[in-house]
């Protein structure tokens, strides 16, 4: 399990040290080194971030205010040289609070707390441990989930999803087994966080099942006759990287 994280600190040496600590933890995946909250927000708008290690005392927008303004914040570990922020940090449900200067051992303890929180939030496979059947009854499992559509509650198999399309406050789930999409009251963020890595956000309005992609033509994915999904500018680099890792050449 890789936990996607950002390192955020306006001090270059502190940021470098924080990134070095992250790279030493096998289950942490460093997705960006940010010198400001605004820079971090830009990354978080393009991809899913599970946790941030964030300095508090930064110019323009401090770490505490940054986290408070997020509608759905990731897990947060605050780092700061000022102990006075500790109580306020826990008020925003921070996982941990590291007082500078901190060493690798302190950082490892905070990282383990982050991993524990992530594991607690993930659905468990049915039949695996005491919580397995309960998770299945709750409608969450690695291969399926329930959604409310109209007056019905429908189970959707993850493998049946061809792509997801945002539509105002709703989502269209385009399924291989149905001629018309299911309309569900869900957010793209919620869906993106739940779906496995075989799915990728390619546009602010589209998530695609990568196993269903059969052709790419310039800046769009062709899913079928008269089905063209645009690849957004903010998502093109990640999608092209996926293609390049699977491209068979001479």
């Amino acid at each position: 399990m890789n936990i996607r994280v950002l390192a955020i600190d306006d001090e270059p040496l502190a940021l470098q040290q924080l990134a070095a600590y992250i790279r030493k933890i096998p289950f942490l995946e460093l997705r960006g080194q940010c010198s400001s909250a605004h820079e971090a927000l830009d990354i978080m708008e393009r991809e899913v971030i599970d946790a941030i290690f964030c300095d508090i005392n930064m110019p323009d927008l401090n770490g505490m205010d940054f986290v408070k303004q997020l509608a759905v914040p990731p897990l947060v570990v605050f780092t700061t040289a000022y102990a006075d922020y500790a109580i306020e940090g826990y008020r925003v449900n921070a996982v941990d609070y590291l007082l500078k200067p901190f060493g690798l051992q302190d950082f490892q303890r905070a990282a383990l707390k982050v991993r524990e929180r992530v594991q607690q939030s993930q659905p468990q496979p049915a039949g695996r441990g005491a919580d397995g059947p309960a998770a299945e009854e709750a409608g969450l499992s690695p291969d399926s989930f329930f959604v409310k559509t109209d007056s019905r509650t429908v189970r959707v198999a993850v493998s049946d999803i061809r792509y997801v399309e945002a539509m105002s406050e709703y989502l269209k789930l385009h399924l291989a087994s149905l001629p018309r999409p299911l309309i569900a009251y869900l957010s793209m963020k919620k869906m993106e966080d739940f779906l496995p890595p075989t799915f990728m956000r390619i546009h602010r309005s589209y998530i695609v099942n990568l196993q269903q992609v059969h052709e790419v033509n310039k800046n769009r994915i062709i899913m079928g006759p008269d089905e063209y999904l645009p690849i957004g500018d903010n998502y093109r680099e990640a999608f092209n990287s996926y293609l390049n890792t699977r491209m068979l050449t001479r």
Side-chain angles (χ1 to χ4, degrees), residues 98-117:
L98 292 172
L99 187 62
K100 298 178 181 179
F102 53 87
L104 178 59
Q105 190 172 9
D106 293 327
F107 183 85
Q108 286 175 324
R109 281 195 291 266
L112 289 171
K113 290 181 181 180
V114 169
R115 184 173 68 174
E116 184 178 359
R117 286 276 194 98

Side-chain angles (χ1 to χ4, degrees), residues 15-243:
L15 180 60
Q16 184 179 354
Q17 181 66 75
L18 184 57
Y21 284 162
I22 291 172
R23 292 189 180 99
K24 290 179 182 292
I25 308 298
F27 53 84
L28 296 184
E29 179 183 347
L30 182 62
R31 300 305 294 262
Q33 297 176 228
C34 308
S35 58
S36 71
H38 297 294
E39 188 178 340
L41 185 60
D42 183 58
I43 294 176
M44 293 168 67
E45 288 177 345
R46 300 195 309 266
E47 59 180 297
V48 176
I49 298 299
D50 303 307
I52 60 175
F53 292 81
C54 184
D55 185 28
I56 294 178
N57 195 29
M58 296 186 293
D60 297 328
L61 181 62
N62 71 48
M64 196 72 66
D65 291 338
F66 168 58
V67 172
K68 288 178 180 178
Q69 77 171 20
L70 297 174
V72 184
L75 298 176
V76 180
V77 174
F78 283 120
T79 66
T80 184
Y82 302 94
D84 294 343
Y85 283 115
I87 295 177
E88 189 177 0
Y90 288 114
R91 285 176 181 165
V92 296
N93 200 29
V95 175
D96 207 350
Y97 180 96
L98 292 172
L99 187 62
K100 298 178 181 179
F102 53 87
L104 178 59
Q105 190 172 9
D106 293 327
F107 183 85
Q108 286 175 324
R109 281 195 291 266
L112 289 171
K113 290 181 181 180
V114 169
R115 184 173 68 174
E116 184 178 359
R117 286 276 194 98
V118 170
Q119 290 172 337
Q120 289 173 351
S121 67
Q122 289 183 335
Q124 297 298 314
R128 184 175 298 175
D131 295 332
E136 178 66 21
E137 287 303 315
L140 293 175
S141 71
D143 57 3
S144 67
F145 57 94
F146 286 110
V147 294
K148 289 186 177 180
T149 174
D150 297 325
S151 59
R152 301 177 299 149
T153 300
V154 181
R155 182 189 291 273
V156 176
V158 170
S159 60
D160 194 29
I161 301 173
R162 298 174 62 241
Y163 63 94
V164 179
E165 180 182 0
M167 185 184 67
S168 185
E169 296 180 350
Y170 298 84
L171 295 182
K172 286 184 179 181
L173 306 182
H174 295 261
L175 307 179
S177 62
L178 295 177
R180 295 183 178 181
L182 281 179
I183 308 298
Y185 184 68
L186 285 171
S187 69
M188 285 291 274
K189 179 70 165 60
K190 187 77 171 181
M191 181 60 68
E192 187 177 17
D193 288 348
F194 176 81
L195 291 173
T198 50
F199 288 78
M200 179 178 286
R201 185 85 170 260
I202 60 164
H203 188 275
R204 63 181 300 178
S205 299
Y206 292 97
I207 300 172
V208 68
N209 184 343
L210 295 170
Q211 296 177 337
Q212 296 283 340
V213 174
H214 299 292
E215 185 176 346
V216 180
N217 187 341
K218 296 182 180 178
N219 294 326
R220 62 183 185 175
I221 295 172
I222 302 174
M223 300 296 292
D226 300 321
E227 277 189 302
Y228 306 101
L229 306 186
I231 303 172
D233 292 340
N234 291 334
Y235 305 90
R236 187 172 298 120
E237 183 177 353
F239 182 73
N240 287 340
S241 177
Y242 162 80
L243 285 182

